[in-house]
C-alpha cells in the first residue's frame, strides 16, 4: 500500500513491515502503527513514519554508529511488553533532533526506541541512568562499528 510521509512524499510499503507501538510514543499515544524507511544508504539513519498520521515522522539514528560504547539493559517489563525472546531480534534507535548542519544535530540517548524485529513490536523506553546518557548527545562524527 502507499502512504504519504512527512519527509519522503508518497512511499509504497509492505504491510508485513508495520511495527506496532502498543502504547504509542511519548506525546503521541494515539499513533501506534509505524514503518521504518531508509533515508540514505551511506548513513545509519532511518525515518520512523506513522502510517496513521502523515505529519508524524521522526529521524532515527543507529546510536552505536555515533557512540560505540553506548550500552543499556532492557528491563523485564519492557522485555515482556516487546515479547523479546532473543537478543538478535532487537534493534535500538535514538531520536535525532536535526539542526542546521548534521554535525550540530543531537540524538536522545536517554530514551532509545527498541524494536523487536521478529514480532514487529516497538517501544520507546526511558533509561534510569540519566546522568550517563544525555537527552541531547551531539552526533558529531560517526565513531562506531556501522561506519
Amino acid at each position: 500500500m502507499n502512504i504519504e510521509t512527512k519527509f519522503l512524499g508518497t512511499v509504497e510499503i509492505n504491510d508485513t513491515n508495520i511495527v506496532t507501538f502498543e502504547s504509542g510514543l511519548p506525546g503521541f499515544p494515539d499513533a501506534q502503527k509505524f514503518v521504518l524507511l531508509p533515508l540514505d544508504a551511506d548513513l545509519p539513519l532511518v525515518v520512523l513514519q506513522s502510517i496513521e498520521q502523515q505529519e508524524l515522522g521522526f529521524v532515527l539514528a543507529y546510536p552505536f554508529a555515533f557512540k560505540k560504547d553506548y550500552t543499556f539493559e532492557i528491563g523485564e517489563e519492557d522485555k515482556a511488553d516487546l515479547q523479546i525472546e532473543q537478543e538478535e531480534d532487537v534493534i535500538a534507535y535514538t531520536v535525532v533532533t536535526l539542526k542546521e548542519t548534521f554535525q550540530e544535530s543531537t540524538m536522545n540517548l536517554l530514551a532509545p526506541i527498541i524494536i523487536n524485529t521478529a514480532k514487529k513490536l516497538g517501544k520507546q523506553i526511558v533509561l534510569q541512568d540519566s546522568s550517563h546518557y544525555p537527552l541531547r548527545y551531539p552526533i558529531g562524527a560517526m565513531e562506531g562499528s556501522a561506519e
Side-chain angles (χ1 to χ4, degrees), residues 62-64 66-72 92-94 107-114 127 132-133 143:
Y62 182 67
F64 311 102
F66 301 96
K67 184 165 179 47
K68 63 184 174 186
D69 62 347
Y70 184 55
T71 182
F72 58 87
Y93 290 100
T94 56
M107 60 183 174
N108 180 352
L109 294 180
L110 184 60
I113 290 180
I114 309 301
L127 303 178
H132 197 67
Y133 294 122
E143 64 176 31

Side-chain angles (χ1 to χ4, degrees), residues 1-21:
M1 76 176 176
N2 288 334
I3 63 169
E4 296 297 322
T5 69
K6 181 176 181 179
F7 300 109
L8 304 171
T10 303
V11 174
E12 183 176 351
I13 64 165
N14 187 326
D15 290 352
T16 60
N17 293 332
I18 296 172
V19 177
T20 300
F21 288 72

Side-chain angles (χ1 to χ4, degrees), residues 125-137:
I125 65 172
V126 178
L127 303 178
Q128 300 305 310
D129 187 1
S130 62
S131 63
H132 197 67
Y133 294 122
L135 195 60
R136 294 180 188 86
Y137 179 81

Side-chain angles (χ1 to χ4, degrees), residues 54-83:
Q54 172 188 351
E55 69 283 357
L56 192 57
F58 304 93
V59 175
L60 304 182
Y62 182 67
F64 311 102
F66 301 96
K67 184 165 179 47
K68 63 184 174 186
D69 62 347
Y70 184 55
T71 182
F72 58 87
E73 293 289 325
I74 301 173
E76 292 303 318
E77 184 178 333
D78 293 323
K79 284 182 183 175
D81 289 347
L82 292 166
Q83 299 177 26

Side-chain angles (χ1 to χ4, degrees), residues 36-126:
L36 290 170
L37 303 172
L39 257 183
D40 183 326
D42 295 332
L43 294 173
L45 303 172
V46 295
V47 172
L48 181 67
Q49 175 65 50
S50 169
I51 65 165
E52 301 156 318
Q53 301 176 41
Q54 172 188 351
E55 69 283 357
L56 192 57
F58 304 93
V59 175
L60 304 182
Y62 182 67
F64 311 102
F66 301 96
K67 184 165 179 47
K68 63 184 174 186
D69 62 347
Y70 184 55
T71 182
F72 58 87
E73 293 289 325
I74 301 173
E76 292 303 318
E77 184 178 333
D78 293 323
K79 284 182 183 175
D81 289 347
L82 292 166
Q83 299 177 26
I84 295 172
E85 296 171 3
Q86 302 178 78
E87 187 175 329
E88 299 79 36
D89 296 335
V90 177
I91 190 163
Y93 290 100
T94 56
V95 177
V96 173
T97 301
L98 295 172
K99 305 288 184 180
E100 195 163 317
T101 68
F102 183 72
Q103 283 72 26
E104 295 172 333
S105 299
T106 61
M107 60 183 174
N108 180 352
L109 294 180
L110 184 60
I113 290 180
I114 309 301
I115 296 176
N116 180 338
T117 58
K119 303 283 184 173
K120 304 293 184 200
L121 293 173
K123 185 175 185 180
Q124 186 170 24
I125 65 172
V126 178

